[in-house]
């Protein structure tokens, strides 16, 4: 066991792992660029050219195209979640942060180009059937953020959630449903108005009140 730990810490092993991580990142980023250009119809030849890697290198990390698409979806969800979490840190209280998480998730729908949201939506349920555990894990971060803020808001007497963990799960599914719908459907009103309606629905279910100082940004 000590020999294994020593091997893990060796410079050669560390360099190999770093190189492997760099290659996987290059593959998923190249795949995402191709998705934006061609959709999911890109070929492995397209990917080798875009990533600048040999085909055998790609298959060393991913055994199928679906695994590559799964990695892209995981990366997109993780990056969006990290951006929303980082941006919310400056907000003054858990209710304001909850509002930001829920409304901010729909921000990418404001752009005229919906290729990113449409890719996520189209692939989401298909990949759920192939990789259910991985997809559950990919989406869990958002639910964890909501649960954390719900618990803090309840402790401060600002909201009255019935069950923070269960409420967070249902909110995650509700936000996902709205996101998936408007990734393809034409919105009859501005996305920001739809986002505020979604937030108002969630807030009222927790016994909160809208308005300045009560979860709304002034």
């Amino acid at each position: 066991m000590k020999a294994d730990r020593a091997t893990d810490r060796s410079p050669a092993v560390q360099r190999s792992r770093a190189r492997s991580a760099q290659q996987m990142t290059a593959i998923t980023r190249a795949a995402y660029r191709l998705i934006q250009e061609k959709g999911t119809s890109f070929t492995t030849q397209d990917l080798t050219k875009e990533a600048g890697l040999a085909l055998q290198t790609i298959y060393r990390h991913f055994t199928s195209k679906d695994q590559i698409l799964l990695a892209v979806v995981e990366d997109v969800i993780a990056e969006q979640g990290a951006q929303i979490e980082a941006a919310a840190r400056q907000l003054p209280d858990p209710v304001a942060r909850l509002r930001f998480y829920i409304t901010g998730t729909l921000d990418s729908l404001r752009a005229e180009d919906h290729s990113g949201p449409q890719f996520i939506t189209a692939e989401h349920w298909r990949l759920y059937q192939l990789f259910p555990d991985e997809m559950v894990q990919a989406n869990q971060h958002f639910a964890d953020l909501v649960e954390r803020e719900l618990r803090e808001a309840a402790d401060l007497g600002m909201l009255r959630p019935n069950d923070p963990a269960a409420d967070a799960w249902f909110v995650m599914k509700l936000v996902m449903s709205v996101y998936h719908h408007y990734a393809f459907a034409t919105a009859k009103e501005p996305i920001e108005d739809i986002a505020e309606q979604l937030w108002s629905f969630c807030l009222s279910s927790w016994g909160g009140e809208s308005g300045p100082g009560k979860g709304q940004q002034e």
Side-chain angles (χ1 to χ4, degrees):
M1 297 295 292
K2 290 183 179 179
D4 290 341
R5 289 196 294 271
T7 300
D8 287 343
R9 292 194 297 268
S10 73
V13 170
Q14 295 298 325
R15 286 195 298 271
S16 177
R17 288 177 176 172
R19 183 168 59 253
S20 179
Q22 290 170 355
Q23 289 174 344
M24 292 179 70
T25 298
I27 293 167
T28 55
R29 288 181 177 175
Y32 189 60
R33 291 193 297 271
L34 289 170
I35 288 165
Q36 291 177 307
E37 179 185 343
K38 301 183 176 184
T40 58
S41 63
F42 66 88
T43 65
T44 52
Q45 288 74 23
D46 293 330
L47 186 56
T48 57
K49 181 178 179 181
E50 184 70 24
L53 296 170
L55 184 60
Q56 64 184 24
T57 301
I58 292 175
Y59 280 122
R60 186 184 308 136
H61 298 293
F62 301 98
T63 59
S64 69
K65 183 177 177 180
D66 282 333
Q67 283 196 340
I68 295 172
L69 294 175
L70 171 65
V72 172
V73 169
E74 288 174 329
D75 285 353
V76 170
I77 293 174
E79 288 174 8
Q80 290 178 343
Q83 290 170 0
I84 289 174
E85 182 179 12
R89 290 194 185 110
Q90 63 181 329
L91 298 176
D93 60 66
V95 178
R97 290 190 290 273
L98 278 168
R99 174 182 176 271
F100 189 80
Y101 295 152
I102 290 170
T103 61
T105 301
L106 305 184
D107 276 352
S108 61
L109 298 174
R110 298 183 185 186
E112 291 185 9
D113 180 10
H114 279 197
S115 60
Q118 287 177 355
F119 160 70
I120 291 292
T121 298
E123 290 298 313
H124 192 271
W125 296 115
R126 190 182 71 83
L127 292 173
Y128 239 116
Q129 296 176 65
L130 298 173
F131 309 103
D133 293 339
E134 290 85 348
M135 289 300 294
V136 167
Q137 187 61 39
N139 290 309
Q140 187 60 41
H141 180 63
F142 181 82
D144 290 342
L145 290 178
V146 172
E147 180 183 352
R148 183 182 69 195
E149 303 300 347
L150 277 177
R151 291 189 183 280
E152 184 177 347
D155 290 342
L156 294 172
M158 301 177 73
L159 296 177
R160 299 187 301 276
N162 291 322
D163 180 330
D167 288 3
W169 186 87
F170 280 115
V171 166
M172 175 189 70
K173 291 298 183 182
L174 177 59
V175 172
M176 284 170 54
S177 295
V178 174
Y179 180 92
H180 291 166
H181 176 78
Y182 286 107
F184 286 94
T186 300
K188 296 182 179 179
E189 53 190 310
I191 288 295
E192 49 265 42
D193 291 350
I194 295 170
E196 288 300 334
Q197 291 168 17
L198 177 60
W199 164 242
S200 180
F201 178 84
C202 294
L203 183 63
S204 64
S205 73
W206 296 318
E209 299 178 19
S210 62
K214 297 179 180 179
Q216 299 279 3
Q217 289 178 294
E218 297 186 63

